[in-house]
Amino acid sequence: MSQALIRLRVNGSEVARTVEVRRTLSDFLREDLGLTGTHVGCEHGVCGACTVLLDGQPVRSCLLFAVQADGAEVTTVEALGTPEALSPLQQAFMDHHALQCGFCTPGFLMSATALLRDHPRPSNEIIRDMMGGHLCRCTGYAAIEEAVKAAGA
Ligand code: FES
Ligand code: FES
């Protein structure tokens, strides 16, 4: 099995690991680094649950190989906050009931993080454009839209 040494930064920490070249970034984060906040749903780029930031841009980690993140900065949902100190965006999701089962939530949070960085006061249209890349089977999306809007206010 072909392997490669990769070096990257994950949530601000330097990481060096030897990985199979076919290992997905999502499996690398979850299984090799134990960062299980990144969820894997469809595994083919449709649901958005696996979204992380790669050099600041939202990407589907199920569609990337870990070796493609060599030299990059990866940010996962674990970097946003803790149960004791939620980030403003996480708090807004809680306040606006923007999650039920929570399976889709890490992906929404990561895309919304990039969105709010680029559009601190986003329009509903911009938020809906972002939401179009994610599936949620529980909330009906309106609450998520409200939460992102509130976090940007
Ligand atoms: S698990 Fe990656 S998009 Fe669904
Ligand atoms: S909160 Fe359950 S899938 Fe979105």
Side-chain angles (χ1 to χ4, degrees), residues 26 39-51 60-63 133:
S26 52
H39 289 172
V40 175
C42 67
E43 292 191 84
H44 63 280
V46 174
C47 73
C50 66
T51 301
R60 262 89 157 119
S61 60
C62 74
L63 291 185

PDB file of all heavy atoms in Angstrom, residues 26 39-51 60-63 133, ligand 1:
ATOM      1  N   SER A  26     -11.317  13.232   5.654  1.00  0.00           N
ATOM      2  CA  SER A  26     -12.285  13.033   6.740  1.00  0.00           C
ATOM      3  C   SER A  26     -11.874  11.853   7.628  1.00  0.00           C
ATOM      4  O   SER A  26     -11.920  11.953   8.855  1.00  0.00           O
ATOM      5  CB  SER A  26     -13.701  12.825   6.187  1.00  0.00           C
ATOM      6  OG  SER A  26     -13.733  11.810   5.219  1.00  0.00           O
ATOM      7  N   HIS A  39     -18.260  15.241  10.797  1.00  0.00           N
ATOM      8  CA  HIS A  39     -19.130  14.090  10.567  1.00  0.00           C
ATOM      9  C   HIS A  39     -19.069  13.616   9.123  1.00  0.00           C
ATOM     10  O   HIS A  39     -18.801  14.410   8.211  1.00  0.00           O
ATOM     11  CB  HIS A  39     -20.571  14.445  10.946  1.00  0.00           C
ATOM     12  CG  HIS A  39     -20.753  14.590  12.418  1.00  0.00           C
ATOM     13  ND1 HIS A  39     -21.905  15.060  13.000  1.00  0.00           N
ATOM     14  CD2 HIS A  39     -19.906  14.305  13.446  1.00  0.00           C
ATOM     15  CE1 HIS A  39     -21.768  15.067  14.315  1.00  0.00           C
ATOM     16  NE2 HIS A  39     -20.566  14.624  14.616  1.00  0.00           N
ATOM     17  N   VAL A  40     -19.333  12.355   8.950  1.00  0.00           N
ATOM     18  CA  VAL A  40     -19.342  11.761   7.609  1.00  0.00           C
ATOM     19  C   VAL A  40     -20.727  11.176   7.368  1.00  0.00           C
ATOM     20  O   VAL A  40     -21.155  10.277   8.088  1.00  0.00           O
ATOM     21  CB  VAL A  40     -18.256  10.672   7.491  1.00  0.00           C
ATOM     22  CG1 VAL A  40     -18.358   9.976   6.148  1.00  0.00           C
ATOM     23  CG2 VAL A  40     -16.872  11.286   7.663  1.00  0.00           C
ATOM     24  N   GLY A  41     -21.419  11.737   6.385  1.00  0.00           N
ATOM     25  CA  GLY A  41     -22.757  11.254   6.068  1.00  0.00           C
ATOM     26  C   GLY A  41     -22.773  10.483   4.763  1.00  0.00           C
ATOM     27  O   GLY A  41     -22.711   9.255   4.739  1.00  0.00           O
ATOM     28  N   CYS A  42     -22.823  11.227   3.677  1.00  0.00           N
ATOM     29  CA  CYS A  42     -22.995  10.589   2.360  1.00  0.00           C
ATOM     30  C   CYS A  42     -21.699  10.021   1.783  1.00  0.00           C
ATOM     31  O   CYS A  42     -21.739   9.122   0.956  1.00  0.00           O
ATOM     32  CB  CYS A  42     -23.569  11.610   1.393  1.00  0.00           C
ATOM     33  SG  CYS A  42     -22.417  12.961   1.032  1.00  0.00           S
ATOM     34  N   GLU A  43     -20.580  10.590   2.174  1.00  0.00           N
ATOM     35  CA  GLU A  43     -19.262  10.202   1.654  1.00  0.00           C
ATOM     36  C   GLU A  43     -19.117  10.395   0.149  1.00  0.00           C
ATOM     37  O   GLU A  43     -18.251   9.789  -0.463  1.00  0.00           O
ATOM     38  CB  GLU A  43     -18.916   8.748   2.021  1.00  0.00           C
ATOM     39  CG  GLU A  43     -18.686   8.558   3.498  1.00  0.00           C
ATOM     40  CD  GLU A  43     -18.088   7.199   3.824  1.00  0.00           C
ATOM     41  OE1 GLU A  43     -16.874   7.072   3.737  1.00  0.00           O
ATOM     42  OE2 GLU A  43     -18.863   6.280   4.154  1.00  0.00           O
ATOM     43  N   HIS A  44     -19.972  11.214  -0.444  1.00  0.00           N
ATOM     44  CA  HIS A  44     -19.724  11.545  -1.848  1.00  0.00           C
ATOM     45  C   HIS A  44     -20.055  12.998  -2.191  1.00  0.00           C
ATOM     46  O   HIS A  44     -20.457  13.311  -3.297  1.00  0.00           O
ATOM     47  CB  HIS A  44     -20.383  10.561  -2.812  1.00  0.00           C
ATOM     48  CG  HIS A  44     -21.884  10.531  -2.752  1.00  0.00           C
ATOM     49  ND1 HIS A  44     -22.569   9.849  -1.789  1.00  0.00           N
ATOM     50  CD2 HIS A  44     -22.810  11.088  -3.562  1.00  0.00           C
ATOM     51  CE1 HIS A  44     -23.869   9.986  -2.002  1.00  0.00           C
ATOM     52  NE2 HIS A  44     -24.042  10.749  -3.066  1.00  0.00           N
ATOM     53  N   GLY A  45     -19.857  13.872  -1.229  1.00  0.00           N
ATOM     54  CA  GLY A  45     -19.880  15.295  -1.550  1.00  0.00           C
ATOM     55  C   GLY A  45     -21.230  15.960  -1.596  1.00  0.00           C
ATOM     56  O   GLY A  45     -21.346  17.107  -2.034  1.00  0.00           O
ATOM     57  N   VAL A  46     -22.291  15.277  -1.129  1.00  0.00           N
ATOM     58  CA  VAL A  46     -23.635  15.842  -1.251  1.00  0.00           C
ATOM     59  C   VAL A  46     -24.121  16.517   0.031  1.00  0.00           C
ATOM     60  O   VAL A  46     -24.711  17.602  -0.006  1.00  0.00           O
ATOM     61  CB  VAL A  46     -24.634  14.743  -1.674  1.00  0.00           C
ATOM     62  CG1 VAL A  46     -26.071  15.267  -1.657  1.00  0.00           C
ATOM     63  CG2 VAL A  46     -24.284  14.231  -3.062  1.00  0.00           C
ATOM     64  N   CYS A  47     -23.888  15.911   1.193  1.00  0.00           N
ATOM     65  CA  CYS A  47     -24.570  16.363   2.412  1.00  0.00           C
ATOM     66  C   CYS A  47     -23.884  17.529   3.122  1.00  0.00           C
ATOM     67  O   CYS A  47     -24.532  18.286   3.831  1.00  0.00           O
ATOM     68  CB  CYS A  47     -24.742  15.202   3.379  1.00  0.00           C
ATOM     69  SG  CYS A  47     -23.218  14.675   4.213  1.00  0.00           S
ATOM     70  N   GLY A  48     -22.579  17.661   2.978  1.00  0.00           N
ATOM     71  CA  GLY A  48     -21.866  18.778   3.603  1.00  0.00           C
ATOM     72  C   GLY A  48     -21.495  18.566   5.058  1.00  0.00           C
ATOM     73  O   GLY A  48     -20.856  19.429   5.663  1.00  0.00           O
ATOM     74  N   ALA A  49     -21.864  17.420   5.636  1.00  0.00           N
ATOM     75  CA  ALA A  49     -21.587  17.194   7.061  1.00  0.00           C
ATOM     76  C   ALA A  49     -20.091  17.186   7.362  1.00  0.00           C
ATOM     77  O   ALA A  49     -19.674  17.472   8.480  1.00  0.00           O
ATOM     78  CB  ALA A  49     -22.214  15.868   7.507  1.00  0.00           C
ATOM     79  N   CYS A  50     -19.292  16.845   6.379  1.00  0.00           N
ATOM     80  CA  CYS A  50     -17.843  16.678   6.581  1.00  0.00           C
ATOM     81  C   CYS A  50     -17.053  17.955   6.315  1.00  0.00           C
ATOM     82  O   CYS A  50     -15.823  17.904   6.246  1.00  0.00           O
ATOM     83  CB  CYS A  50     -17.342  15.577   5.657  1.00  0.00           C
ATOM     84  SG  CYS A  50     -17.488  16.067   3.913  1.00  0.00           S
ATOM     85  N   THR A  51     -17.746  19.075   6.168  1.00  0.00           N
ATOM     86  CA  THR A  51     -17.072  20.319   5.774  1.00  0.00           C
ATOM     87  C   THR A  51     -16.074  20.787   6.833  1.00  0.00           C
ATOM     88  O   THR A  51     -16.395  20.868   8.018  1.00  0.00           O
ATOM     89  CB  THR A  51     -18.113  21.426   5.523  1.00  0.00           C
ATOM     90  OG1 THR A  51     -18.997  20.979   4.488  1.00  0.00           O
ATOM     91  CG2 THR A  51     -17.445  22.729   5.102  1.00  0.00           C
ATOM     92  N   ARG A  60     -15.209  19.842   1.299  1.00  0.00           N
ATOM     93  CA  ARG A  60     -15.753  18.556   1.733  1.00  0.00           C
ATOM     94  C   ARG A  60     -14.576  17.632   2.020  1.00  0.00           C
ATOM     95  O   ARG A  60     -13.890  17.201   1.092  1.00  0.00           O
ATOM     96  CB  ARG A  60     -16.567  17.930   0.603  1.00  0.00           C
ATOM     97  CG  ARG A  60     -18.035  18.146   0.694  1.00  0.00           C
ATOM     98  CD  ARG A  60     -18.514  19.344   0.057  1.00  0.00           C
ATOM     99  NE  ARG A  60     -19.908  19.199  -0.261  1.00  0.00           N
ATOM    100  CZ  ARG A  60     -20.836  19.986   0.226  1.00  0.00           C
ATOM    101  NH1 ARG A  60     -20.517  20.917   1.100  1.00  0.00           N
ATOM    102  NH2 ARG A  60     -22.077  19.853  -0.158  1.00  0.00           N
ATOM    103  N   SER A  61     -14.394  17.295   3.280  1.00  0.00           N
ATOM    104  CA  SER A  61     -13.217  16.480   3.603  1.00  0.00           C
ATOM    105  C   SER A  61     -13.367  15.038   3.134  1.00  0.00           C
ATOM    106  O   SER A  61     -12.377  14.317   3.055  1.00  0.00           O
ATOM    107  CB  SER A  61     -12.916  16.530   5.105  1.00  0.00           C
ATOM    108  OG  SER A  61     -14.000  16.047   5.856  1.00  0.00           O
ATOM    109  N   CYS A  62     -14.603  14.618   2.780  1.00  0.00           N
ATOM    110  CA  CYS A  62     -14.773  13.259   2.247  1.00  0.00           C
ATOM    111  C   CYS A  62     -14.331  13.175   0.794  1.00  0.00           C
ATOM    112  O   CYS A  62     -14.157  12.080   0.275  1.00  0.00           O
ATOM    113  CB  CYS A  62     -16.222  12.789   2.381  1.00  0.00           C
ATOM    114  SG  CYS A  62     -17.384  13.558   1.223  1.00  0.00           S
ATOM    115  N   LEU A  63     -14.189  14.313   0.146  1.00  0.00           N
ATOM    116  CA  LEU A  63     -13.816  14.314  -1.268  1.00  0.00           C
ATOM    117  C   LEU A  63     -12.342  14.620  -1.485  1.00  0.00           C
ATOM    118  O   LEU A  63     -11.897  14.692  -2.623  1.00  0.00           O
ATOM    119  CB  LEU A  63     -14.644  15.351  -2.042  1.00  0.00           C
ATOM    120  CG  LEU A  63     -16.129  15.072  -2.206  1.00  0.00           C
ATOM    121  CD1 LEU A  63     -16.763  16.126  -3.102  1.00  0.00           C
ATOM    122  CD2 LEU A  63     -16.375  13.688  -2.777  1.00  0.00           C
ATOM    123  N   GLY A 133     -25.462  24.176   0.057  1.00  0.00           N
ATOM    124  CA  GLY A 133     -24.428  23.152   0.006  1.00  0.00           C
ATOM    125  C   GLY A 133     -24.513  22.141   1.130  1.00  0.00           C
ATOM    126  O   GLY A 133     -23.613  21.315   1.286  1.00  0.00           O
TER     127      GLY A 133
HETATM  128  S1  FES B   1     -19.923  13.191   3.962  1.00  0.00           S
HETATM  129 FE1  FES B   1     -18.861  14.596   2.745  1.00  0.00          FE
HETATM  130  S2  FES B   1     -20.413  15.672   1.700  1.00  0.00           S
HETATM  131 FE2  FES B   1     -21.482  14.130   2.781  1.00  0.00          FE
END
